[in-house]
Amino acid sequence: MHTRGKAFIAGIFEHPTRKAVDKSVAQLHAESARGALEDAGLSVEDVDAYYCAGDAPGLGPLSMIDYMGLRNVRHMDATDVGGSSYVLHVGHAAQAVAAGKCKVALITLAGRPRSEGMATGTAPRNYGDASPDVPFEFIYGPTVVNMYAMAARRHMHEFGTTSEQLAWIKVAASHHAQHNEHAMLRQVVTVDDVVASPMIADPLHRLDCCVISDGGGAFVVVAPEIAASLKRECVKVLGCGEAPKNLMSGQVDLTYTGARWSGTQAFEEAGVAPGDIDYASIYDSFTITVLETIEDLGFCEKGKGGAFVADGNLISGTGALPFNTDGGGLCNNHPMNRGGLTKVLEAVRQLRGEAHPAVQVKDCRLALAHGTGGSIGTRMGSATTILGRVDA
Amino acid sequence: MSARKIPAPPANVENQDFWEACNEGRLMLPRCGDTGKVFWYPRKVSPFTLSGNVETVEAAGTGEIYTYSIMRRSDPQYAIGYVRLDEGITMMTNFVDCDFESLAVGMKVRLVFVEAESGQKVPCFTPA
């Protein structure tokens, strides 16, 4: 069973906060849910499915469904694959809708790592002593930044990728973020600014990293008959894919991601090719995340990502592949250290023609959103979704 | 500059013998008894066949750097990396007793054991 065209995204909301000292995590989830339902023109009573991931407090859906007073839920999914979860949820929601299990699925994300002073990228991250890989890795001090840095180093070694090429990804994101009033970093930066910023973990500089922000967001996936009944413009879910990528029993390869497989699934289901995509939301925890993903999704040949992203090729209006026109995680928002949900939101804005006029892609008919979770190449989730305008 | 202290590895019933061998100066690699293929990280179930037929083989302790990163935002700084052993598996490690600036992808390295905070010896690598 394919799900092409059998579900729609009807409402979206990005919480405007970037530092939420006065709000709880549950409250941020609920405020995001309210915003997305209002955007869709739906009510709490209409929601019959709820999806969340590891950022939801307590017992995930069991706690949040109760907190928000969702009384009609008959389908749930709490798949947690890190920051890629919410892109994966688009696919799972579309499948559930297509199977007739639900008609209005609400997906939320929220968190407050900034208010809680979390050393997101630079403190060694222990997935729990019971995780079987932890004894053989955690002791050596893997952090989010140095794990991605090791991928960047290997990519540079195999393909000649340079720090300056990676820097172009941040430069493009900053060109977009200047137009987003909610973005954390609105100043346009240059390649020189990026490579001159302090080294965090070789070869990644501070400006190769995304922001750390509080906040959240939500979106609503609905059945075709619901979409047809709403005044708001909905976008069609055309194809979805998901894939794990891991240590592969010791055959570690950090030069590619699970996007190789999730992207193929999504393109096949949608019946389109990378060259058909008008706009792409690419997960951007770090510049290297974008570069490898662009290659793995087939926007360019493997190893040619450096040349592809250089010279402004990702900047809307001038480049061949406009990406992350909200400023992305690199400049706008990376709520709860999970950038997957905001990737979906900007893709929907582009398809509705509601991105900022300075970055809106002309006649945007097909968009892609890609999520990355966990740690690149070693214990990662990859999820891709392809969305289209109703007439696509 | 003093070196970063390595925290004690969380031992459990499945990996206890691996850590005991380390204390005796041996890096034991798990090998699938069904396929003969060496794998990493240590476990009692083969990731190739899901069988419990897993044996071990002592590593020669030689290999080369697959990738690395120097953690600058840390005091003291440390060098983390993946080493590809001559036996064909790639494992995470720290590079010790060396000038971090001299490290390079492809550099030949050899095994050394470093005491973690608990006194447990853990496998690390240094330029050969």
Side-chain angles (χ1 to χ4, degrees), chain A residues 140-141 150 154 200 202 250 254, chain B residues 66-67 69 72 78 88 90 94 123:
Chain A
Y140 300 114
M150 286 194 283
R154 185 69 197 184
I200 305 296
D202 302 54
L254 300 182
Chain B
Y66 171 76
T67 188
S69 178
R72 306 285 181 185
Y78 60 96
T90 301
N94 286 142

Side-chain angles (χ1 to χ4, degrees), chain A residues 34-262:
Chain A
R34 185 168 66 215
L37 290 169
E38 280 175 6
D39 182 51
L42 291 164
S43 77
V44 167
E45 301 303 323
D46 296 317
V47 175
D48 61 359
Y50 176 68
Y51 296 0
C52 62
D55 54 282
L59 289 174
L62 305 184
S63 301
M64 289 310 304
I65 287 166
D66 181 34
Y67 177 90
M68 294 193 285
L70 306 178
R71 284 169 286 275
N72 299 316
V73 171
R74 57 194 177 106
H75 197 270
M76 299 175 277
D77 188 331
T79 305
D80 185 24
V81 283
S84 64
S85 303
Y86 322 90
V87 181
L88 175 142
H89 289 161
V90 174
H92 288 196
Q95 290 152 23
V97 166
K101 297 292 182 188
C102 59
K103 290 183 189 302
V104 177
L106 169 68
I107 293 97
T108 67
L109 154 81
R112 50 203 299 280
R114 196 173 170 207
S115 290
E116 291 165 12
M118 185 175 173
T120 296
T122 53
R125 199 174 269 201
N126 184 346
Y127 296 91
D129 287 355
S131 185
D133 50 324
V134 158
F136 307 99
E137 294 219 334
F138 175 67
I139 55 174
Y140 300 114
T143 68
V144 177
V145 188
N146 65 28
M147 289 299 286
Y148 282 75
M150 286 194 283
R153 171 85 69 197
R154 185 69 197 184
H155 201 280
M156 289 174 168
H157 175 78
E158 289 195 23
F159 303 115
T161 307
T162 66
S163 288
E164 286 74 16
Q165 290 172 331
L166 287 174
W168 269 108
I169 296 166
K170 181 74 156 201
V171 170
S174 77
H175 272 266
H176 299 150
Q178 65 176 315
H179 305 293
N180 182 349
E181 62 175 322
H182 299 299
M184 274 182 74
L185 304 177
R186 297 187 67 187
Q187 192 186 335
V188 173
V189 298
T190 65
V191 168
D192 287 345
D193 291 336
V194 179
V195 297
S197 66
M199 194 68 88
I200 305 296
D202 302 54
L204 295 182
H205 309 79
R206 175 175 289 157
L207 293 185
D208 285 298
C209 307
C210 67
V211 299
I212 296 171
S213 55
D214 297 347
F219 59 88
V220 186
V221 176
V222 303
E225 62 270 29
I226 303 286
S229 74
L230 298 172
K231 288 183 190 142
R232 196 75 166 100
E233 184 179 346
C234 298
V235 311
K236 204 188 293 184
V237 181
L238 296 173
C240 301
E242 62 191 66
K245 166 91 192 299
N246 52 50
L247 293 162
M248 300 190 295
S249 308
Q251 300 305 308
V252 175
D253 189 334
L254 300 182
T255 63
Y256 72 94
T257 71
R260 175 181 286 193
W261 304 302
S262 67

Side-chain angles (χ1 to χ4, degrees), chain A residues 339-374:
Chain A
L341 193 137
T342 40
K343 296 295 166 290
V344 176
L345 305 188
E346 185 67 3
V348 173
R349 289 189 197 104
Q350 280 286 353
L351 291 167
R352 283 173 164 176
E354 293 178 357
H356 189 282
V359 297
Q360 175 65 47
V361 174
K362 268 187 207 157
D363 194 32
C364 187
R365 293 182 73 250
L366 283 176
L368 176 149
H370 182 83
T372 300

